[in-house]
Structure formats: C-alpha cells, structure tokens
Amino acid sequence: MLTGICHVVFEQEEDPQNRSFFSEIISSISDVRFSYDGRYILSRDYLTVKIWDVAMERTPVKVIPIHEHLRPRLCDTYENDSIFDKFEVVFSGDAKNVMTGSYNNNFMIYPSDPDKETEVVLQADKSAFKAKKIGVPTPINGSKKAGSRAGSPAANTGPGGRMRKETDADQIDFNKKILHMSWHPFEDSIAIAATNNVSLIMIHLDTILSVSFMANRVCVK
C-alpha cells in the first residue's frame, strides 16, 4: 500500500537571452536514468545532457553540450522534424561515464566528473570500423587546426583517422541517427541500435580507443 509521496523537481532555468519559439521543444526531456548506485540522475534534452545529484535539485552538477552547434539552425531542424528526435542517454555501470547519440550515426562518451571536459566520438557504421577510425578523449570545445574544420570527421581521413563530432550543420545527415543504446551494468560493453541492426561494442576507456569490425561484433580497445 502506498503510504506517502515525496515530490522533488529537478529543473534548470533557461537563460533569458536564449529564449525563443523553440525553447519548450528543445528543453523537453527525452530520457532520464538513475545511476546504479542511486546517487545521480541523468537527463537528455535536444541540446544537452545533464547530470543531477539527487541531493541538489536546483542545478545540475554537470551540463554536457551535445547539439549546441545546431542552435543557429533550429529553424531547419524544425522544418525537417529532427528537433523532435528523442535521444536516449545512459550511465556506465560504475557511473564514471555517460553515453548518448547524435546524427551521422555518431555516439559519444563523456566522463561524469564535472572537472573533466572531454568526449570520445564513435560511429556505428561498418565503413568507419573497417577504416579503423578511432575515438580518443578530445576536449569538448577543441580548438581548430589550420586547414581543417575542428569537430569534422572529414578533417581526419585515412586509416586510423580520429573520429570527431560533426559540428558543421551542412555536413550532418539527419536521417542517420543513434537514438537507442544500452550499457552493460557490469562490463564495458555497449549495445547500439542503428537503423535495422544492433551493434555490440566492447570498449576500454583507460587506453586510446582503436576499433576493428568482426562480423556483427565490434571490439574497441
């Protein structure tokens, strides 16, 4: 029998300077998860991932920008309905990392630690694995290199090229997206749903990530 209810609301107020016609849509939460120890709550909206301490409802302990580069193109994402995409987000079993998806079949892994501002970008695509594209911890707001577009996978070609999140909206394929995923509760294994297939990926985040594709199984070491 239900004997009582405790209602706590976790919400971060939007900066008035960023308020627009799209504010309600982009702030709508598409997924929410508890960490396995119950200490943290993870939420995903269209532009960000937020990590909340259950004892601190007024402000998240970390805000991770996912699609901030799309803010100037919200009209376009509204017209093609991409703004309504519902991306999931998950904790690793030890809650030290979080994972979420994006466009171009990219998915990203971020440290939960508020003091660590890095991301690892991988792509759930056979061609990327066959080309041995690798994801390495990279500053979220990395600086641009001369002659290349920072954040662009196209700027890192050839075997062993470094995978980075595409930040040029004109180069994004909104039809290729990673919405659904799961992280094994006891192992560094993740399952990624891409179109009509599921990729099982074993990862080792303590070392530089390299990738190889074997049948329907992907090993990232």
Side-chain angles (χ1 to χ4, degrees):
M1 178 181 292
L2 183 64
T3 58
I5 297 176
C6 178
H7 183 205
V8 180
V9 176
F10 295 81
E11 183 179 7
Q12 183 181 35
E13 293 187 7
E14 182 183 19
D15 185 341
Q17 294 182 348
N18 290 331
R19 193 173 299 280
S20 70
F21 168 80
F22 306 104
S23 293
E24 185 174 346
I25 302 173
I26 61 177
S27 63
S28 177
I29 294 174
S30 59
D31 196 21
V32 62
R33 307 288 180 100
F34 267 110
S35 60
Y36 289 100
D37 61 6
R39 180 179 176 184
Y40 297 101
I41 296 175
L42 191 60
S43 65
R44 170 72 202 260
D45 55 48
Y46 189 68
L47 298 184
T48 68
V49 164
K50 296 181 176 69
I51 303 176
W52 304 83
D53 188 317
V54 296
M56 299 169 55
E57 72 272 12
R58 292 196 174 187
T59 184
V61 295
K62 185 172 186 178
V63 178
I64 303 171
I66 306 297
H67 288 156
E68 189 62 34
H69 54 282
L70 292 179
R71 188 180 289 276
R73 301 292 299 273
L74 290 178
C75 285
D76 295 335
T77 61
Y78 182 80
E79 290 179 358
N80 64 23
D81 286 339
S82 295
I83 199 171
F84 300 105
D85 287 334
K86 304 301 182 184
F87 292 93
E88 293 181 350
V89 64
V90 295
F91 271 115
S92 60
D94 58 10
K96 291 183 178 180
N97 296 281
V98 302
M99 176 175 62
T100 193
S102 185
Y103 297 106
N104 287 358
N105 277 350
N106 287 346
F107 60 98
M108 294 78 66
I109 298 173
Y110 302 89
S112 301
D113 189 336
D115 296 325
K116 295 181 179 180
E117 297 292 334
T118 60
E119 69 179 355
V120 172
V121 180
L122 291 168
Q123 190 177 73
D125 185 271
K126 290 183 180 180
S127 61
F129 289 117
K130 288 180 178 179
K132 297 187 182 298
K133 295 289 186 180
I134 61 173
V136 301
T138 305
I140 292 178
N141 297 312
S143 60
K144 293 187 177 182
K145 294 183 179 180
S148 67
R149 193 174 62 246
S152 172
N156 303 278
T157 59
R162 180 177 296 186
M163 285 297 304
R164 289 185 179 177
K165 185 168 57 183
E166 180 60 77
T167 57
D168 185 342
D170 292 330
Q171 301 298 320
I172 293 176
D173 187 341
F174 290 98
N175 293 316
K176 293 183 177 180
K177 49 197 168 188
I178 302 299
L179 300 176
H180 309 291
M181 60 196 60
S182 184
W183 200 312
H184 195 287
F186 309 117
E187 301 175 2
D188 279 336
S189 299
I190 56 180
I192 302 293
T195 316
N196 62 345
N197 64 80
V198 175
S199 296
L200 176 61
I201 303 173
M202 279 67 72
I203 59 177
H204 300 276
L205 292 173
D206 292 334
T207 60
I208 293 178
L209 303 183
S210 64
V211 301
S212 61
F213 181 81
M214 299 184 301
N216 294 321
R217 179 171 298 222
V218 179
C219 299
V220 183
K221 300 180 181 179

